[in-house]
Amino acid sequence: MALVPPEHRGRPGHTLLVAGFDGPEAHARALAPLAEGPPALVERRAPIPYRYLQRLLDDHAPYGILAHDRALPLPVLDDAVLELLGAQLPGRSSPLTFCPSFRLDGAYTAVPEEDTAFGGARRPCWVMNISALALEPRRLRADAAWAAALWTELLPYAANPGGYVNFLAQGEQDRVRASYGPKYARLAAAKARYDPGNVFHRNANILPEPGRGAGGAPSPPG
């Protein structure tokens, strides 16, 4: 916030964070196409320790804040998606509510799809997170409804109705299944083997496969 001129603080805007790990030359090449776009209000380039990179957004969501998240994998951020976001973002109630988008590419696409539990195809895409954040329950309820409506409008542009499981709200069992896709059945079998009572359930929960007891053996009838 200290980098933003005082007259622009508190106003809606867009922030682009580009982190590189291959040195300043590679980082400069990645940023070069931005010179063809509109000028940035504020720009800063500097090396930072990785632990600070991980903390860049911490102040935006302090401990104890109220939150509701939704997400979708988008193959591209084309004009239609950007125009939709531009039209809908002013409708949020809380100034803390935002839509961080994360690029999945490079090493992410080099791993065979069947080698991890992560759902979705290993193709380049953007994960669009719709994060409703508020300090008051009233504003959270309003922005949770806003997030759901925006998610529904973005759905036709998505690769699938799933998403990154860290951005799923509790109780969305249908979207948990959609996020893991065909891998869900294998994970449910593993869950039945190691946690048949579903003790670890305060998450985007994978339910134990019915009919299997501890150790992975089928449960006896009755």
Side-chain angles (χ1 to χ4, degrees):
M1 180 63 73
L3 295 175
V4 179
E7 64 272 20
H8 294 284
R9 294 176 188 175
R11 298 174 60 186
H14 301 276
T15 301
L16 177 65
L17 302 176
V18 181
F21 302 93
D22 295 326
E25 293 80 10
H27 191 255
R29 287 194 297 271
L31 292 176
L34 297 177
E36 302 174 5
L41 179 67
V42 176
E43 181 175 343
R44 182 180 182 184
R45 306 185 192 191
I48 60 173
Y50 184 75
R51 64 183 184 276
Y52 292 149
L53 174 65
Q54 291 291 87
R55 292 164 48 188
L56 276 178
L57 299 179
D58 284 3
D59 290 343
H60 190 80
Y63 181 79
I65 199 171
L66 305 173
H68 175 91
D69 285 293
R70 288 177 174 261
L72 280 171
L74 300 173
V76 294
L77 293 182
D78 57 16
D79 288 346
V81 171
L82 295 177
E83 288 175 4
L84 175 58
L85 290 172
Q88 296 302 324
L89 282 173
R92 63 202 173 114
S93 172
S94 169
L96 297 174
T97 293
F98 71 141
C99 295
S101 305
F102 304 89
R103 179 68 176 171
L104 299 183
D105 205 338
Y108 168 80
T109 65
V111 179
E113 185 175 341
E114 64 274 10
D115 282 3
T116 76
F118 194 97
R122 289 277 169 170
R123 292 191 291 268
C125 69
W126 295 86
V127 174
M128 170 68 68
N129 180 27
I130 307 170
S131 186
L133 300 172
L135 299 173
E136 310 90 4
R138 174 184 58 82
R139 282 194 164 182
L140 181 68
R141 287 193 296 271
D143 277 9
W146 173 87
L150 178 56
W151 183 89
T152 299
E153 290 197 61
L154 286 170
L155 189 57
Y157 304 98
N160 60 68
Y164 183 44
V165 292
N166 279 6
F167 299 149
L168 295 182
Q170 292 188 20
E172 295 183 306
Q173 192 57 222
D174 56 335
R175 295 198 55 234
V176 173
R177 291 176 179 271
S179 296
Y180 286 109
K183 299 175 183 179
Y184 186 91
R186 291 173 55 195
L187 294 168
K191 178 78 171 183
R193 179 177 183 180
Y194 294 104
D195 183 20
N198 201 21
V199 173
F200 299 100
H201 63 275
R202 295 186 179 277
N203 52 14
N205 192 227
I206 294 172
L207 300 175
E209 180 184 7
R212 284 191 177 270
S219 299

